[in-house]
Amino acid sequence: MGTDLIELKGVGPALVSKLQKLKIYSQYDLLFLLPIRYEDKTCLQKISALVLGEKALIQGTIVLTTVVYRGRRMLISQLSDDTGIITLRMFHFSKQQVKQLAKNTLVRCFGQTRKTTSGLEMIHPEYQIIDPENPRPLETGLTPIYPSTEGLQQGRLRKIIRAALSQQIDSIPELLPHSIVKELGLVPLTESLLEIHQPSQKNIGNEHKNLFRQRLIIEELLANQLALKRLKRRTKKEPAMALGNPLFKESLITALPFKLTKSQSRVVGEIEEDLKKNQPMMRLLQGDVGSGKTIVAALAMLIAVGSKQQAALMAPTELLAEQHFDNLVSWFEPLGVSVALLKSKLSAKDRREVFTGVAEGSIDIIVGTHALFQPNVVYKRLALVIVDEQHRFGVEQRLSLMKKSRDRNSVPHQLIMTATPIPRTLAMTAYGDLDASIIDELPKGRGGIETIIVPEEKRDQVMEKIVKECARGRQSYWVCPLIEESEELNFQAAESTYVLLQETLQQLNIGLVHGKLSSVKKIKAMENFKNGNTNVLVATTVIEVGVDVTNSSVMVIENAERLGLTQLHQLRGRIGRGKHKSLCILIYKKPLSLIAKERLAVIRATNDGFVIAEKDLQLRGPGELLGTRQKGLIGLRIADIMRDAYLLPVINKLTVDIEENYPDVIEKIVRRWVGDQLEYRNV
Ligand code: ADP
Ligand code: MG
């Protein structure tokens, strides 16, 4: 049997290309697509015994199905078992579904229980119609949930992973040297993989310190270290263009309506030193949200322009790219420096113009998303690449931009900016290939943020507070954060909050933005908020990164107890940017675990990103599943640099050991875990 995907039962060419989006190219890769979490569908719960906020499997008959209009069309079904009634609510549905859920049909549902004024409900549950004569058997073990991509159902993915597992598990090579496996007492690789994909005991899957998971985490962190160290060594050997003319930079500093903070000046100095060298800069700029990284980026770009070179600024979303563009235009135009924005919604003519300008060199600065490194964007003389909010970008993207000026026998300097402070102890591991600069103060003259914590029963009071703030001309965010594995599934919470706020706060304009909306709608929603038409913007974590609306003074965060400290801090950083005093309201669900309590206390007590990052590290309990994971520069599959920090001393030692004594396995380990993210090295 071969290892090609196409040789697996049930896999055709269409599926192969979907899998490639997940960076899966062979059956072996499937084995290393590891579950993000597990769901328990092994037993049916009674409706009367459902726990609010938890996911559960229930079964009952449909009492009523109807399509209603409450601000928008929705499908409402009521399901009853012998203990109670629950409402199923769907905002996206087909005629077919309305028919399917006819009265008296037996239905099995899996979803999260919530409570509204009209009783219990599940929004967009997964459901199956059940034949009462011949009911489907329940799952016998925990159901793994895999990271997926659009149009690839979990069920399908599970099936092919199971098939790959049974075909390949016996031939998957153990790459770690035998002596190391023995010394560290590691579980064999095959055993670990089997346990992770098909946990033999209930709940074992969610425990990060269990030996099976730990075994894989160690191997992944090791691969990550080996790859980053090698990357740094190799990049530093490449030639880069020395950039030294500070003229434009000085002009902008003089023209700014504010004075740079001490930190900003220091960091600009550090960057300037790097750029003078004919060795590529590889610098990470850490600075809390609102600390003023954009102006630092602008000044760096002006040094490149001063030396008659081009610079590119890459943002994680189109929204942010536009925001940067607006800022840069206002700063650069008076200097005669030309800036272009590459966005998806350009007319063919405008697009051609941008491409030509970049290729001929009439455009000095280009701003955009990852579209900047498409093969059809050809640069005349790209000498500096700046990546904003690195955690949405992989090493891979950075590398493909680097290749852009390869024909000139030099690679661009790189500046990576992040608002996620990483404790110093971890920086090496997270960003092993980068030198670090830190902006550790905020500009003066901000109104400050007060943070309060309220239980969800008091949501009414929160709404009153918002009405008051809006009456004073302020605006508010209402965030329903990402607690599912994908934005795809998470829009539900935002949708229902949107409906609730629209119904309750009729005097206000409520906006909505989430990942399921088209990008046109997203941009429209953000524009309306930016120019003040919308009073309250309901959002998922789409707004997490970089959005700058200085008039917004209230941030409500739902499910705060389920979020990590870093994420809470990031979200809160969206307010407190103007001169007004701001308020952050964290809504939680009882009962609070001890750790959650401590976390909320920390976030209330301090606004210092580095303090918060250190606390985050201390408070991460083993086995705790938080909303998002800290992935570092290379997307990690199973490890989490913060959570697994306790392993780092071992990993560091192991890295040296392998480099010195087993250089032959480096390539294989890196390929297995980091894959083609580092494929550039063969170029
Ligand atoms: P971030 O680091 O989160 O990207 P920004 O670059 O968006 O922060 O800056 C936040 C706001 O602070 C912007 O409106 C910017 O113009 C302003 N700002 C930046 N530096 C200073 C400064 N030294 N003094 C006053 N305001 C500043
Ligand atoms: Mg920013």
Side-chain angles (χ1 to χ4, degrees):
M1 258 315 210
T3 59
D4 283 352
L5 287 171
I6 201 87
E7 291 179 49
L8 272 183
K9 199 168 158 241
V11 178
L15 189 50
V16 167
S17 71
K18 273 183 198 148
L19 288 170
Q20 277 172 359
K21 283 203 191 130
L22 293 169
K23 310 228 168 299
I24 291 170
Y25 306 104
S26 77
Q27 294 184 22
Y28 283 136
D29 293 339
L30 273 176
L31 268 48
F32 288 91
L33 183 72
L34 302 170
I36 320 163
R37 57 184 180 82
Y38 301 85
E39 282 177 352
D40 188 352
K41 297 180 184 169
T42 57
C43 55
L44 290 172
Q45 311 282 333
K46 294 292 178 203
I47 291 179
S48 61
L50 287 174
V51 181
L52 294 185
E54 305 226 321
K55 290 194 157 190
L57 190 70
I58 54 174
Q59 184 169 307
T61 33
I62 301 284
V63 192
L64 167 94
T65 285
T66 168
V67 176
V68 297
Y69 196 87
R70 304 262 160 78
R72 57 189 301 191
R73 252 165 60 88
M74 57 182 89
L75 174 69
I76 305 268
S77 282
Q78 293 200 313
L79 189 80
S80 150
D81 65 6
D82 48 12
T83 71
I85 279 197
I86 189 166
T87 301
L88 316 178
R89 193 195 290 255
M90 291 179 227
F91 300 109
H92 305 269
F93 55 92
S94 62
K95 277 199 191 118
Q96 170 73 16
Q97 277 174 298
V98 181
K99 262 200 218 132
Q100 234 184 6
L101 292 170
K103 195 171 167 184
N104 294 330
T105 312
L106 187 61
V107 176
R108 192 177 287 171
C109 270
F110 184 76
Q112 192 181 26
T113 310
R114 5 179 296 147
K115 193 167 181 164
T116 69
T117 43
S118 46
L120 295 179
E121 72 172 29
M122 286 184 181
I123 295 185
H124 274 270
E126 290 168 37
Y127 71 89
Q128 293 172 337
I129 308 296
I130 299 292
D131 176 1
E133 304 298 313
N134 184 17
R136 292 182 77 160
L138 294 168
E139 301 288 337
T140 51
L142 290 180
T143 310
I145 304 296
Y146 294 100
S148 190
T149 181
E150 217 172 307
L152 181 52
Q153 306 290 333
Q154 285 290 331
R156 189 120 187 256
L157 196 51
R158 265 196 298 275
K159 225 182 238 160
I160 56 175
I161 289 175
R162 214 173 294 149
L165 207 55
S166 72
Q167 299 219 353
Q168 301 301 344
I169 194 71
D170 294 327
S171 61
I172 187 104
E174 176 70 78
L175 296 179
L176 293 182
H178 187 65
S179 61
I180 288 179
V181 174
K182 219 170 131 197
E183 192 191 319
L184 294 178
L186 299 179
V187 182
L189 178 69
T190 48
E191 226 173 281
S192 299
L193 285 173
L194 280 171
E195 268 302 318
I196 293 288
H197 289 290
Q198 302 166 350
S200 61
Q201 299 161 38
K202 232 175 140 173
N203 284 328
I204 199 166
N206 292 328
E207 171 63 68
H208 286 283
K209 278 191 177 169
N210 87 53
L211 293 177
F212 306 105
R213 277 189 102 78
Q214 203 182 53
R215 152 70 215 231
L216 296 177
I217 289 170
I218 288 176
E219 194 173 314
E220 178 170 40
L221 287 174
L222 175 67
N224 191 52
Q225 281 304 285
L226 290 168
L228 285 175
K229 283 179 84 172
R230 191 168 62 174
L231 176 62
K232 179 164 193 175
R233 274 198 298 271
R234 290 184 181 181
T235 315
K236 284 286 180 191
K237 276 196 208 135
E238 305 260 3
M241 173 84 64
L243 309 171
N245 184 348
L247 205 67
F248 283 116
K249 185 202 89 184
E250 296 301 337
S251 314
L252 178 56
I253 291 181
T254 320
L256 283 177
F258 51 76
K259 207 168 153 295
L260 293 184
T261 62
K262 268 207 200 90
S263 293
Q264 285 172 319
S265 302
R266 189 191 62 238
V267 168
V268 171
E270 287 165 358
I271 292 170
E272 219 167 347
E273 283 309 306
D274 282 358
L275 294 179
K276 278 185 194 151
K277 299 181 187 149
N278 52 12
Q279 201 183 39
M281 167 169 80
M282 294 185 71
R283 187 164 286 280
L284 175 75
L285 172 54
Q286 293 189 62
D288 223 333
V289 277
S291 62
K293 293 184 292 295
T294 318
I295 184 66
V296 172
L299 294 169
M301 290 193 277
L302 287 180
I303 298 176
V305 177
S307 305
K308 302 208 159 35
Q309 302 296 311
Q310 292 171 307
L313 173 59
M314 187 155 76
T317 64
E318 213 151 85
L319 206 68
L320 283 169
E322 277 188 41
Q323 190 171 297
H324 280 318
F325 176 71
D326 292 343
N327 273 327
L328 295 182
V329 167
S330 72
W331 288 330
F332 290 173
E333 257 181 6
L335 302 173
V337 172
S338 64
V339 195
L341 174 67
L342 183 62
K343 55 176 181 179
S344 53
K345 295 281 172 307
L346 283 182
S347 69
K349 180 170 159 282
D350 290 349
R351 175 174 305 270
R352 221 170 20 244
E353 240 166 58
V354 172
F355 284 180
T356 314
V358 172
E360 289 176 350
S362 59
I363 290 173
D364 302 309
I365 307 278
I366 181 160
V367 185
T369 60
H370 49 277
L372 291 180
F373 55 79
Q374 287 159 4
N376 52 3
V377 189
V378 179
Y379 293 82
K380 169 120 179 167
R381 32 165 205 268
L382 181 64
L384 170 64
V385 170
I386 299 184
V387 178
D388 191 16
E389 308 291 0
Q390 119 299 316
H391 57 283
R392 300 282 165 101
F393 279 107
V395 166
E396 182 186 7
Q397 280 100 331
R398 283 203 288 135
L399 293 170
S400 58
L401 252 178
M402 269 176 57
K403 280 192 244 168
K404 286 282 181 191
S405 56
R406 204 163 257 286
D407 10 325
R408 295 185 307 130
N409 290 322
S410 71
V411 300
H413 296 280
Q414 296 175 62
L415 179 67
I416 319 292
M417 307 199 292
T418 175
T420 315
I422 293 267
R424 278 171 205 279
T425 41
L426 301 190
M428 254 313 280
T429 309
Y431 309 110
D433 61 334
L434 301 169
D435 303 311
S437 289
I438 297 178
I439 304 184
D440 49 11
E441 62 187 313
L442 295 178
K444 303 258 166 352
R446 303 263 166 97
I449 306 177
E450 184 196 353
T451 300
I452 58 172
I453 299 169
V454 298
E456 61 173 351
E457 293 78 31
K458 296 200 178 152
R459 195 175 272 118
D460 288 353
Q461 292 173 23
V462 175
M463 289 197 256
E464 278 167 28
K465 181 83 203 157
I466 286 196
V467 171
K468 262 194 212 144
E469 282 292 309
C470 291
R472 289 162 45 189
R474 300 289 105 71
Q475 289 166 280
S476 171
Y477 292 102
W478 193 300
V479 182
C480 307
L482 198 66
I483 42 183
E484 285 292 347
E485 61 274 9
S486 75
E487 180 72 26
E488 177 92 357
L489 292 174
N490 209 64
F491 71 97
Q492 301 152 8
E495 294 261 8
S496 55
T497 302
Y498 175 65
V499 172
L500 175 75
L501 294 186
Q502 267 194 329
E503 281 170 5
T504 327
L505 308 176
Q506 293 186 357
Q507 69 275 44
L508 298 179
N509 284 330
I510 317 288
L512 173 68
V513 56
H514 61 63
K516 257 220 142 171
L517 298 177
S518 68
S519 67
V520 177
K521 280 198 174 152
K522 255 187 265 181
I523 289 176
K524 187 108 197 99
M526 286 312 302
E527 263 170 14
N528 276 332
F529 191 59
K530 260 185 151 175
N531 59 29
N533 290 342
T534 302
N535 305 106
V536 183
L537 182 66
V538 179
T540 52
T541 29
V542 173
I543 59 135
E544 184 181 339
V545 206
V547 173
D548 194 13
V549 179
T550 46
N551 188 46
S552 52
S553 66
V554 185
M555 160 80 49
V556 181
I557 305 176
E558 296 264 1
N559 291 112
E561 81 284 358
R562 301 192 44 179
L563 296 179
L565 273 174
T566 318
Q567 205 184 5
L568 286 170
H569 180 63
Q570 291 269 311
L571 286 167
R572 182 173 59 180
R574 298 297 121 230
I575 53 168
R577 301 189 143 216
K579 51 187 188 304
H580 314 291
K581 190 163 176 51
S582 296
L583 178 64
C584 175
I585 305 174
L586 305 175
I587 300 186
Y588 69 89
K589 203 182 297 279
K590 288 176 194 162
L592 277 182
S593 71
L594 265 180
I595 287 189
K597 235 180 230 164
E598 271 192 71
R599 248 194 327 254
L600 293 177
V602 169
I603 202 85
R604 179 167 54 194
T606 178
N607 198 13
D608 179 327
F610 281 92
V611 172
I612 288 171
E614 290 289 351
K615 284 282 180 195
D616 197 7
L617 190 54
Q618 290 164 17
L619 290 180
R620 293 252 171 151
E624 225 193 331
L625 287 173
L626 292 173
T628 51
R629 303 188 309 141
Q630 198 70 49
K631 291 186 177 168
L633 271 185
I634 290 185
L636 294 171
R637 300 172 191 222
I638 186 167
D640 175 318
I641 288 167
M642 296 282 260
R643 184 197 64 215
D644 304 323
Y646 73 101
L647 288 171
L648 294 181
V650 178
I651 306 292
N652 293 341
K653 223 173 118 245
L654 209 54
T655 308
V656 176
D657 188 9
I658 299 242
E659 282 178 330
E660 280 173 6
N661 304 316
Y662 309 95
D664 297 348
V665 301
I666 295 179
E667 172 66 26
K668 291 181 194 147
I669 293 183
V670 170
R671 190 150 285 283
R672 171 179 286 174
W673 290 95
V674 185
D676 68 348
Q677 292 191 64
L678 297 180
E679 130 283 321
Y680 84 103
R681 64 181 167 258
N682 300 322
V683 175

